[in-house]
Amino acid sequence: MNILVFGRGAIGTQYGWALENAGHKVDFFVRKGRIKDYGNTVSLDIYDTRSKKQIKENWQINLKEEIEEDKTYDLILLSVNPEQVEGALLQVKRFAKNATVFFFCNYGLEVKAAVKDFPADQIVFGFPGAGGGYEGNALGGIMYNFFQLGQAGAKLSERESFVKKIFSDAGFKVKIQENIEEWLLNHYVANAAMEAEVLKAGSFKAVASSKKLLGQMVLNIREMTPYVKAKGFHPDALIKALNILPADFVGSLMKNLVYKESGPAYKALAFNHYKVGYSVMQIINDAHLLGIETPRLEAAYNAEK
């Protein structure tokens, strides 16, 4: 299969590497001038839970700043930051042709409206099971052996089945979400809860290192739970649990288990230098339109400014 990954972000790069190793031809579309900046290799330091191995290699990566008129792709993997989604979709529209476009982004608000310019059956929604970031040309990350795949109808569509097969054949377990919009919003809220603490602490590493800040993240999630309901969705099992369990207890649990300093999840988060704030701002504004107060989020967002 010919696969195009939009951008050279931490998530897309890890999946591009995995798909290339599964026998596919993988290109990466980047902005003009980026090839000179990036070079043609990535220094990988990622933990692959499919094999339970730490991958350390200099990987030759195929970057493109232009897509040839006669070039066709079977799959376009779109995994960009939420503030980049609108612009990225405009670019993808130019060369998508009949490719299946896999919307693989952390984007929780009005997902279907974002892809309104594409034929309804061309877009497949999902969510990655990976994390990490770049330090220079070094990519530190973690890639779990599963990912989320949206199912729009009573059964998987032809394109959804196509995506499932590509990733299943590459060794990933596919978790089907029959209401992917609800799943994405719940995750967007959880992500914004951490971002709010990053705004105050200065880095993901600082938050992952502190059981107090991880506990504050729980309180942020509780503040946003009425917002999830006001959007017409149900809080998922995790958000329900975090509305019941003591925040200090959850913070300690996350610090000692999920983000244990010797573990790959902590190391991946420490590599994440993404400039946070966009999702926090989006949720604040959207919540206000629905009459939901978000004082904790606002204090964090305003403190950063």
Side-chain angles (χ1 to χ4, degrees), residues 1 74-75 100 157-167:
M1 296 287 179
D74 302 292
L75 178 72
T100 295
S157 69
E158 183 177 339
R159 289 187 188 269
E160 289 164 353
S161 297
F162 170 68
V163 171
K164 180 183 177 184
K165 177 171 173 48
I166 288 176
F167 282 82

Side-chain angles (χ1 to χ4, degrees), residues 253-279:
L253 199 67
M254 293 181 72
K255 171 70 176 65
N256 294 318
L257 293 178
V258 180
Y259 297 122
K260 185 168 59 175
E261 291 193 12
S262 60
Y266 175 86
K267 292 179 181 178
L269 204 62
F271 263 83
N272 190 345
H273 302 298
Y274 164 61
K275 181 173 172 55
V276 300
Y278 183 82
S279 62

